Amino acid sequence: MANSLVEKKEKHFIKKSNVIVRAVTNESAGIMTQRLFNFAILSSLYKLDWNKREPHKYMEYWLSDFCKYYGIKQHKLYDKVVHKKQEMTVIQKEIEILTSYKFFLFDETKDKFEFINLFLKGGNDQGKIYLEIHQSLVAEHYLNLKSDYTNIYLPYTKTVTSKYSLRLYEYLRSYLYMNAKTKNTPNFNHEWDFEKLAKILNLSLNSSYFRKITNLKSKILEPVKKDLLKTDIIFTYQLIKVGRKYNKIILNTHLDLEKFNAQNPELEKLPTKKECVKKEKIMVENKPEKSKIIENPILSDDEVKKIMQDFDNH
């Protein structure tokens, strides 16, 4: 399809407010739901007229565009599954999850924090996805952003295989991006107790991941580490024991600057380690040599005597 988002190679970014990236959600969205969410935001930003002030906006996009962007076989989305004791297609299930997916945000109209939907209704028909958008929230957290946001580079969301990888990619990048943008510092280390890790990943502390540490490592942390190698984030972790039990994690993260610089045209480039070494070498090579001290030979006794005699004669 001519001029589709798939073919507009510059449309690879969406901005997300750090408030929403770091918000607690009402459930753990699967990788398909997260991708549908991001693609819907991308589509709405470029397809809708945001100058018209409306409480809600309605949008649609071709399912084939979504599948082409993420390399998904479209017919697989029409496979039958059972969701909440009802038989439906995969895409119907995903749209139902997407429209029930909520963020714990401050609601100014009620002056309190509540779980709030960004997508209010949705459906699919004749190869299209239809969504009703909460305009003011989308504008606040994805459109009118001057500071405290992160750029999400969508091509990297195609490569990860785990829903936890995609969740942590966005969460960790929100801190790395701000450090890179404001401090020219491409790293950020987090120290979390397991309660915070569980909240971020929308898991129960009583789940098998936290009762059996080998499950946490093999089913979440190691796959995340492997997945993030495909992105611009380099990620390592360390599990900490207090007494006989593990209950903390340290996440060491820094940007792969070559990848980061390659896909961030609007951001001032950060020098890589290799570039810093090269620059330092050039500076050393071009540094002017210190003035050489001309050492006069020491005068002999006879020469000193002659000088003194000439001085007396004057």
Side-chain angles (χ1 to χ4, degrees):
M1 295 177 60
N3 298 321
S4 72
L5 281 174
V6 178
E7 293 165 349
K8 294 179 181 178
K9 293 184 179 179
E10 70 276 14
K11 310 302 185 192
H12 285 328
F13 287 98
I14 54 174
K15 289 181 179 179
K16 288 189 177 186
S17 75
N18 289 334
V19 169
I20 206 146
V21 171
R22 300 169 191 172
V24 173
T25 55
N26 64 322
E27 59 184 293
S28 178
I31 193 165
M32 181 73 76
T33 308
Q34 292 182 69
R35 286 173 175 171
L36 279 166
F37 187 101
N38 285 340
F39 198 78
I41 292 294
L42 180 70
S43 300
S44 68
L45 295 182
Y46 292 104
K47 289 187 174 184
L48 296 181
D49 181 1
W50 289 92
N51 293 317
K52 292 181 181 177
R53 304 307 299 169
E54 304 159 323
H56 302 147
K57 281 189 176 294
Y58 298 87
M59 65 160 295
E60 61 182 44
Y61 62 85
W62 291 100
L63 190 54
S64 58
D65 275 357
F66 169 76
C67 291
K68 187 175 179 182
Y69 192 84
Y70 282 101
I72 296 167
K73 293 180 179 178
Q74 188 172 339
H75 69 87
K76 291 287 186 183
L77 297 181
Y78 294 98
D79 289 346
K80 296 288 185 180
V81 292
V82 175
H83 177 64
K84 294 183 178 178
K85 298 182 179 179
Q86 291 185 341
E87 187 179 80
M88 58 184 72
T89 63
V90 171
I91 192 61
Q92 286 173 332
K93 180 196 81 170
E94 290 297 335
I95 291 172
E96 186 168 315
I97 295 171
L98 185 65
T99 53
S100 62
Y101 190 54
K102 300 180 180 182
F103 298 84
F104 194 60
L105 302 171
F106 186 74
D107 187 337
E108 292 182 356
T109 61
K110 298 179 181 177
D111 196 32
K112 63 179 181 179
F113 279 88
E114 283 196 340
F115 280 105
I116 303 172
N117 296 69
L118 268 69
F119 297 110
L120 307 171
K121 295 178 184 176
N124 71 292
D125 185 41
Q126 297 182 342
K128 285 185 177 180
I129 290 179
Y130 301 87
L131 292 167
E132 181 183 349
I133 298 173
H134 193 309
Q135 172 167 332
S136 61
L137 282 178
V138 172
E140 179 183 356
H141 293 290
Y142 295 90
L143 190 67
N144 302 326
L145 297 170
K146 304 297 181 186
S147 61
D148 198 27
Y149 68 86
T150 185
N151 262 344
I152 302 299
Y153 187 55
L154 291 182
Y156 288 151
T157 68
K158 303 176 187 181
T159 62
V160 299
T161 59
S162 157
K163 65 179 182 179
Y164 302 116
S165 300
L166 190 45
R167 170 67 177 135
L168 282 176
Y169 170 69
E170 295 191 0
Y171 192 97
L172 297 173
R173 201 177 196 279
S174 71
Y175 288 92
L176 287 166
Y177 185 84
M178 287 304 296
N179 257 19
K181 190 175 180 184
T182 60
K183 302 178 184 177
N184 274 10
T185 305
N187 63 297
F188 199 101
N189 293 338
H190 303 262
E191 184 173 339
W192 302 337
D193 56 29
F194 279 179
E195 184 177 0
K196 181 167 184 178
L197 178 62
K199 277 185 181 178
I200 291 169
L201 298 180
N202 208 295
L203 292 168
S204 167
L205 269 177
N206 294 321
S207 69
S208 63
Y209 298 118
F210 296 105
R211 286 189 284 107
K212 196 173 182 181
I213 206 68
T214 53
N215 285 343
L216 181 64
K217 290 176 69 174
S218 65
K219 295 183 179 178
I220 296 182
L221 297 175
E222 285 301 316
V224 167
K225 184 178 176 182
K226 187 176 179 181
D227 268 344
L228 293 190
L229 283 174
K230 306 167 193 171
T231 74
D232 57 356
I233 295 178
I234 298 171
F235 161 86
T236 59
Y237 67 89
Q238 182 182 358
L239 295 168
I240 307 297
K241 268 185 180 179
V242 175
R244 299 178 63 185
K245 289 183 67 177
Y246 287 100
N247 70 351
K248 279 190 177 181
I249 184 170
I250 296 174
L251 299 93
N252 307 299
T253 63
H254 66 273
L255 290 169
D256 181 322
L257 291 177
E258 289 187 3
K259 290 182 180 178
F260 179 74
N261 288 338
Q263 44 84 11
N264 278 274
E266 84 343 317
L267 188 66
E268 183 180 351
K269 307 301 183 190
L270 296 180
T272 63
K273 188 175 180 181
K274 188 188 295 182
E275 288 169 339
C276 287
V277 170
K278 186 177 179 180
K279 186 177 179 182
E280 189 176 338
K281 186 179 178 183
I282 291 170
M283 288 177 65
V284 169
E285 288 174 350
N286 294 335
K287 194 173 181 181
E289 293 184 16
K290 290 182 180 179
S291 300
K292 293 181 180 179
I293 299 173
I294 300 173
E295 296 182 354
N296 291 322
I298 298 174
L299 298 174
S300 66
D301 290 343
D302 289 340
E303 287 172 326
V304 172
K305 188 175 179 180
K306 185 174 184 306
I307 291 171
M308 293 302 292
Q309 285 174 348
D310 290 341
F311 181 78
D312 289 340
N313 291 334
H314 286 84

